[in-house]
Every structure is written in C-alpha cells, then in structure tokens.
Amino acid sequence: MKKWNTRKLVEAGIMLALSMILSQIKVYRAINGGSVTAGSMIPVMIFAMRWGASSGIIVGASFGILKMIFGGWIYSPIQAILEYPMAFGFLGLAGIFSNQLDPRVNSNYFKLIISIFMSIAGRFICHLLAGVIFFGDTLPEGINVWYSSALYQSTYLIPEFIISVLIFAMIWKPLTRIKIEE
C-alpha cells in the first residue's frame, strides 16, 4: 500500500467531492432508496485504480459515510453500516488490477471492466443482504425475499454498471496519458 501523503489526501478529497456532486444528478430514483446517477462512483474508482484497492476501499467507505450523512436511509445501525461504508467501500475493488492496467494493451480493457464489475457486484451483495435481512419482512406473504431484493437492487445497479463502463471506455485512454510526478 502506498503511504498517505499530501498528494494522495488531496486527490482523495477531490474525488470524494466529485462523487458527491455527481451523486446529486439523478437519472432515476428508486422508490425505497438507490438511484442511477451521472457516474457518481467513477471518481472513487479512478482513485482506487490510481492508488490501489486498499486505499480505494478507504475512500469508498468515506463516500458511503458522506452519502449516509447527506440523505441516507437509516433503519438500524447495522443496516446503515452494511449499506453505506461497507457497500461503497467495495468500490475500492476497482483498484485490484491497478498495477496491471496499461492502456496500450487491448486485453487490459477486459481487466478494467472486471474491476468495475467487482466494485459494483460487491456493492450489490451488501444491498442484497440488507434487503433480505432488514426489509424482507415488509414483503407480502409468499414473495421470495432473495429474488425480490435482487430484482430491486438490479433496477439501479445494472444501469450504474453500464454507465460506468461507457464513461470509462471514453475517458480511459486520455486519463492514462496524464503523467503525474510522485
């Protein structure tokens, strides 16, 4: 793990601010929480790809805490932890291949997509579990709680995945051309 220096802290702050701003631009808002945004997870994923998964998890969890503070749906302390710092912390998994991503190699686009998928899949699992554990008793009798929760989470996380992949496809090469002195 690269140590936290001033450059890294400033970059984390900028990416958190960008994520919060983008999270306010809602394309679609689900009835009981969750929304499709204008790529609000992308700045956190960029940070993770630049600094690695462990640093990305910290920044992702911080983004989750900010989301919780500024309008989260909190029903219990465990639910809040599961759906905010834990779920958004998984965005840091975008940095899992951070040492191997080279824009000159076409196969690295596959690693980029896998990184994005793992990030959002981790978030999906946290929201799925919260739906089953904390909101399953609100469903009518006879409805499968796992299916219902998975379907609900899919309504906003699959579009978020698609938006993230499309935006990354557009910005990846120009982004990797930026030379930053460490």
Side-chain angles (χ1 to χ4, degrees):
M1 180 167 76
K2 298 176 184 174
K3 73 177 198 163
W4 286 82
N5 57 24
T6 304
R7 179 187 308 265
K8 187 174 179 180
L9 285 171
V10 169
E11 190 173 323
I14 291 169
M15 293 305 189
L16 283 171
L18 282 171
S19 286
M20 286 302 293
I21 291 167
L22 291 171
S23 73
Q24 297 306 305
I25 304 170
K26 310 261 194 253
V27 176
Y28 163 78
R29 185 186 309 255
I31 298 167
N32 296 318
S35 59
V36 177
T37 64
S40 65
M41 297 182 287
I42 291 172
V44 173
M45 287 190 255
I46 290 171
F47 180 87
M49 288 174 187
R50 175 156 158 64
W51 294 99
S54 56
S55 297
I57 289 169
I58 292 168
V59 171
S62 300
F63 178 44
I65 291 168
L66 289 172
K67 294 274 294 171
M68 182 174 53
I69 291 169
F70 293 106
W73 294 54
I74 301 171
Y75 297 97
S76 76
I78 304 295
Q79 172 267 335
I81 291 168
L82 182 61
E83 291 210 272
Y84 291 99
M86 278 186 70
F88 286 91
F90 274 104
L91 296 179
L93 290 181
I96 201 126
F97 295 121
S98 63
N99 296 342
Q100 302 170 12
L101 292 174
D102 183 352
R104 297 168 294 195
V105 180
N106 285 337
S107 66
N108 283 333
Y109 280 104
F110 179 72
K111 288 180 183 175
L112 181 68
I113 292 169
I114 293 298
S115 297
I116 296 166
F117 176 78
M118 287 173 46
S119 297
I120 296 175
R123 186 173 164 207
F124 175 86
I125 290 167
C126 287
H127 293 307
L128 174 74
L129 290 174
V132 168
I133 297 167
F134 298 102
F135 306 109
D137 59 347
T138 63
L139 293 173
E141 190 76 27
I143 303 236
N144 184 310
V145 67
W146 288 95
Y147 175 77
S148 178
S149 183
L151 185 64
Y152 184 79
Q153 308 316 325
S154 297
T155 62
Y156 65 93
L157 287 174
I158 289 175
E160 280 281 350
F161 170 73
I162 293 167
I163 289 169
S164 296
V165 167
L166 291 174
I167 291 173
F168 263 108
M170 290 186 285
I171 68 170
W172 183 247
K173 258 197 174 151
L175 196 65
T176 56
R177 288 187 190 131
I178 299 170
K179 299 289 184 217
I180 300 174
E181 298 296 320
E182 302 248 0

